[in-house]
Amino acid sequence: MRDEDILNGSLIEDSWLTVEQLAAACTVEPAWLLRHLQEGLFPEAESVAGVWRFSATCLLRAQRMRRLERDFDAVPELAALVADLLEELDSLRARVGPRP
């Protein structure tokens, strides 16, 4: 089991991560995350009283985007598009249920 799987599994839905916590979980600099926020690539992120907070969904999205950018040298917009498609696939699989 990978460290990121443990982190994803233990993040409770009502819990939120800060910019620094999410950046650390994705092994990126906070500036990477802030650039992506400014470009609108984290639609589920929330700003409360000027402080960004991120859900477990944002964590998974950030990890996917980081891997796509690193492994395939993808531009952020392409990485976000692929992350969107993977999220939709996850949603469809959850609706269908487990395969035999």
Side-chain angles (χ1 to χ4, degrees), residues 1 3 11 15 31 35 51 55 57 61 71 83 86 89:
M1 182 173 283
D3 289 342
L11 185 61
S15 297
R35 279 193 309 274
V51 176
S55 66
T57 303
R61 180 179 183 81
D71 296 347
L86 291 170
L89 192 60

Side-chain angles (χ1 to χ4, degrees), residues 39-70:
E39 293 176 15
L41 303 180
F42 285 96
E44 293 189 10
E46 294 183 23
S47 179
V48 177
V51 176
W52 284 104
R53 61 187 204 167
F54 303 89
S55 66
T57 303
C58 290
L59 172 60
L60 180 58
R61 180 179 183 81
Q63 289 172 332
R64 285 175 168 167
M65 289 173 56
R66 181 189 138 291
R67 280 193 303 269
L68 288 162
E69 289 178 22
R70 181 195 64 209

Side-chain angles (χ1 to χ4, degrees), residues 13-97:
E13 271 190 45
D14 294 335
S15 297
W16 294 92
L17 296 172
T18 64
V19 169
E20 292 78 15
Q21 290 169 326
L22 184 61
C26 296
T27 61
V28 296
E29 294 294 322
W32 178 93
L33 192 53
L34 293 172
R35 279 193 309 274
H36 287 67
L37 276 168
Q38 291 171 347
E39 293 176 15
L41 303 180
F42 285 96
E44 293 189 10
E46 294 183 23
S47 179
V48 177
V51 176
W52 284 104
R53 61 187 204 167
F54 303 89
S55 66
T57 303
C58 290
L59 172 60
L60 180 58
R61 180 179 183 81
Q63 289 172 332
R64 285 175 168 167
M65 289 173 56
R66 181 189 138 291
R67 280 193 303 269
L68 288 162
E69 289 178 22
R70 181 195 64 209
D71 296 347
F72 298 103
D73 199 26
V75 296
E77 294 81 6
L78 178 59
L81 175 62
V82 172
D84 288 341
L85 294 172
L86 291 170
E87 289 165 9
E88 183 65 24
L89 192 60
D90 290 344
S91 174
L92 292 171
R93 284 182 177 149
R95 276 200 250 163
V96 171

